[in-house]
Amino acid sequence: MATEVLWYLIPREGHYPWEPEGRRPVDLGYLQHLAATVERLGYSGALLATDQYDVWALGSALAAATGPGFQPLLAVHPGLVSPTLLAKMALSFEHLHGPGRLRFNVVNGSTEQLREYGLHVEHDDRYRLAAEYWSLVKRLTSGEVFDHEGEFYRLKNAGGSLRDLPPLREGHIPLWFGGSSPAGIEVAAEHVDVYLTWGEPPHLLKEKLERVRERAAAHGRTLRLGLRLHLIVRDTEEQAWAAADRLLDVTSQATYARQLGGRQAEDGVGWQRQFRQHGGRVPARARELETHPNLWPGMSLFRPGPGTAVVGSTEQVVERLREFQELGVDTFILSGNPLLEEAYRVAETVLPQLR
């Protein structure tokens, strides 16, 4: 399969948007312009993360301003709305914006984070809930009508009210998902279409991806493999590392404290694996944390979520991405700050060689 590349799109935009002075004003027009640019540059869509805005409102606004080449990947927490309602939202989206555009990024979140929304489930319980939830959503977005008695859901005539919203594609809305714990990998192996992971040194990633493939094979399935990465790409390696150094220099102590304080206790295995790459240490210079040639886990020192960046010249960045391709990765979700300017830079330098 040809390599697919998506961009990243959230309303926190700028050279270092985790600080007020590094953030630029963003409104609906700006975000629609960014989405149209992503489509025009040849990315197949963008991940819309669970950030400042609700992804459904944002995704609909962006889909209305773009064409079929822009496929939003909406981050969704299972369990926050009923599976039947989510299916109705998804089918409505495709009827309004065109078939084949919508994709789900399954986000299991953390125990503490989800309590804010009234969902009180511990780590492994979240994955059991996710397995049941997404199996129902897959059936509902495929047009099935059925009854269901499960651990978390009891549904009667599920899908009956959706007869006027028939699926416009073959099969269900695709599921993209990342989970590094045994429970998360098992859910991926049984239910999802694209397994996503955050960036790690290739030898660590190889071990995890082999385990995912083995578990998928045990369920008689194969998965596509995707990687979420930040890029700091410049004409020379020295310029790229200088840009990473600047991010460390402009980040406030309050941001470091907020991002790192107490995070060691988080129950997400993906986060724990990422945290071990830097140990919560803020270096004087970025390269002190280089874990593999051109791999830098420093982005997670000041922003939530995936925190590994590939730092280097165009040739070095392409070489690192090709290393991941050799592990079986056929899908990349990339980003850089600012999102608008770096979408151009990556499209003009990295993408032609990567594809």
Side-chain angles (χ1 to χ4, degrees):
M1 179 177 177
T3 297
E4 182 177 8
V5 183
L6 291 78
W7 197 241
Y8 184 64
L9 202 157
I10 59 172
R12 299 181 199 275
E13 165 70 317
H15 288 275
Y16 48 105
W18 48 89
E19 300 292 348
E21 60 272 18
R23 198 176 303 152
R24 64 176 49 154
V26 169
D27 58 13
L28 177 59
Y30 183 96
L31 293 168
Q32 289 178 327
H33 172 64
L34 176 54
T37 299
V38 166
E39 181 181 27
R40 188 171 63 252
L41 291 174
Y43 301 93
S44 65
L47 168 61
L48 310 188
T50 55
D51 190 71
Q52 182 178 345
Y53 294 150
D54 176 76
V55 293
W56 287 98
L58 179 59
S60 290
L62 300 186
T66 53
F70 183 82
Q71 300 176 50
L73 175 61
L74 301 190
V76 176
H77 284 101
L80 297 190
V81 300
S82 80
T84 309
L85 178 56
L86 186 74
K88 182 175 184 178
M89 294 161 68
L91 294 171
S92 299
F93 189 101
E94 295 226 314
H95 276 260
L96 291 171
H97 299 300
R101 294 187 69 180
L102 181 63
R103 300 181 280 196
F104 287 135
N105 177 37
V106 178
V107 181
N108 257 39
S110 68
T111 299
E112 286 299 320
Q113 177 188 25
L114 291 175
R115 284 175 179 160
E116 178 185 352
Y117 293 88
L119 191 61
H120 294 263
V121 286
E122 299 301 322
H123 181 277
D124 285 5
D125 297 334
R126 292 203 309 272
Y127 286 105
R128 294 204 319 280
L129 180 142
E132 184 175 344
Y133 186 89
W134 291 110
S135 67
L136 296 171
V137 172
K138 287 166 68 174
R139 296 177 67 184
L140 288 162
T141 59
S142 297
E144 290 188 46
V145 178
F146 57 93
D147 296 338
H148 171 79
E149 290 272 350
E151 179 182 0
F152 297 95
Y153 294 98
R154 298 175 62 189
L155 305 180
K156 184 71 174 175
N157 195 38
S161 63
L162 305 180
R163 287 191 175 93
D164 291 335
L165 282 173
L168 299 180
R169 67 166 89 205
E170 188 76 25
H172 61 268
I173 305 294
L175 303 183
W176 299 38
F177 169 78
S180 296
S181 69
I185 288 174
E186 199 63 27
V187 169
E190 188 173 0
H191 295 285
V192 310
D193 304 287
V194 181
Y195 177 78
L196 290 174
T197 181
W198 295 346
E200 296 181 3
H203 70 280
L204 295 177
L205 197 58
K206 181 175 185 291
E207 174 188 333
K208 180 161 68 170
L209 294 181
E210 287 177 348
R211 194 159 66 251
V212 170
R213 286 195 193 95
E214 288 171 1
R215 294 310 307 151
H219 291 281
R221 307 181 68 239
T222 59
L223 303 177
R224 289 173 53 200
L225 302 175
L227 191 60
R228 170 75 181 95
L229 286 168
H230 194 87
L231 301 186
I232 302 177
V233 55
R234 298 293 186 268
D235 291 337
T236 68
E237 182 178 24
E238 292 73 20
Q239 291 171 346
W241 283 109
D245 286 338
R246 173 164 167 72
L247 296 182
L248 291 175
D249 294 339
V250 298
T251 299
S252 67
Q253 292 303 311
T255 294
Y256 285 129
R258 182 176 63 251
Q259 181 61 18
L260 299 175
R263 300 300 295 272
Q264 299 95 320
E266 287 220 5
D267 61 354
V269 174
W271 167 258
Q272 293 168 5
R273 289 172 68 105
Q274 181 172 258
F275 192 91
R276 285 196 293 269
Q277 299 298 311
H278 57 65
R281 181 174 69 90
V282 180
R285 296 270 67 89
R287 199 156 196 176
E288 295 174 26
L289 294 182
E290 189 177 23
T291 57
H292 178 78
N294 309 108
L295 279 195
W296 185 56
M299 295 299 296
S300 63
L301 293 172
F302 33 75
R303 65 177 303 280
T308 299
V310 183
V311 182
S313 67
T314 299
E315 292 72 21
Q316 290 171 320
V317 169
V318 170
E319 184 178 351
R320 296 290 82 77
L321 296 182
R322 284 179 175 157
E323 282 186 352
F324 293 125
Q325 286 180 312
E326 290 171 3
L327 298 180
V329 172
D330 60 29
T331 303
F332 293 95
I333 302 175
L334 304 176
S335 62
N337 292 114
L339 293 168
L340 181 61
E341 289 91 325
E342 291 303 306
Y344 277 102
R345 188 198 301 269
V346 172
E348 292 167 357
T349 58
V350 173
L351 295 198
Q353 299 186 63
L354 186 63
R355 287 170 171 160

